[in-house]
Amino acid sequence: MTAEQLSRLRGIVEEEIADIHRAGAAWRDCNGPDENGVQRIQEHAARMASLDWKHGMDRRLQELLRLLGRMEREDYGECEDCGEDIPLRRLELVPATAFCSACMARREEARDG
């Protein structure tokens, strides 16, 4: 993988991280204390759905930060099963993938039975 390709992939991941930060700020604006410092009272189901969304975004952010660390390794972009290079197009669509399409299909077949 060239430095330019890796840089483009990092840009994709960093843009998603920025999107999560913007969404988190908007979430805090809607779910934080009001101007009197009193917590807004919301209907229970809506609050729980909102918290589920926030937890999901927090998990995704952690995954993306780990991915940036993986991108620093020399073997980023190589399939963990067969060792072949993962096609750039696949990495652009799913930067966190650790498997080429063929190995992923074999894993899914084995899992599904």
Side-chain angles (χ1 to χ4, degrees), residues 39-91:
Q39 195 69 18
R40 294 183 181 130
I41 298 173
Q42 300 176 340
E43 192 270 318
H44 181 72
R47 187 174 9 159
M48 295 311 294
S50 176
L51 288 174
D52 286 345
W53 175 86
K54 177 71 168 78
H55 292 306
M57 288 294 102
D58 290 344
R59 279 192 304 274
R60 181 63 179 155
L61 179 59
Q62 291 306 312
E63 291 170 0
L64 292 169
L65 293 172
R66 282 192 300 273
L67 173 58
L68 286 176
R70 275 185 43 219
M71 289 177 141
E72 297 298 320
R73 298 187 346 219
E74 285 186 26
D75 63 347
Y76 173 75
E78 294 176 8
C79 177
E80 289 184 5
D81 281 353
C82 70
E84 295 294 319
D85 286 341
I86 299 169
L88 181 60
R89 183 68 180 137
R90 179 169 171 77
L91 289 169

Side-chain angles (χ1 to χ4, degrees), residues 3-30:
E4 182 181 315
Q5 291 169 329
L6 183 58
S7 177
R8 192 167 64 238
L9 291 171
R10 285 183 66 84
I12 291 169
V13 173
E14 289 169 348
E15 182 59 33
E16 187 174 349
I17 289 170
D19 288 344
I20 289 172
H21 284 297
R22 285 188 290 272
W27 183 88
R28 283 187 297 280
D29 288 346
C30 293

Side-chain angles (χ1 to χ4, degrees), residues 79 82 84-87 90 97-106:
C79 177
C82 70
E84 295 294 319
D85 286 341
I86 299 169
R90 179 169 171 77
T97 191
F99 306 102
C100 67
S101 297
C103 290
M104 181 57 85
R106 278 193 292 278

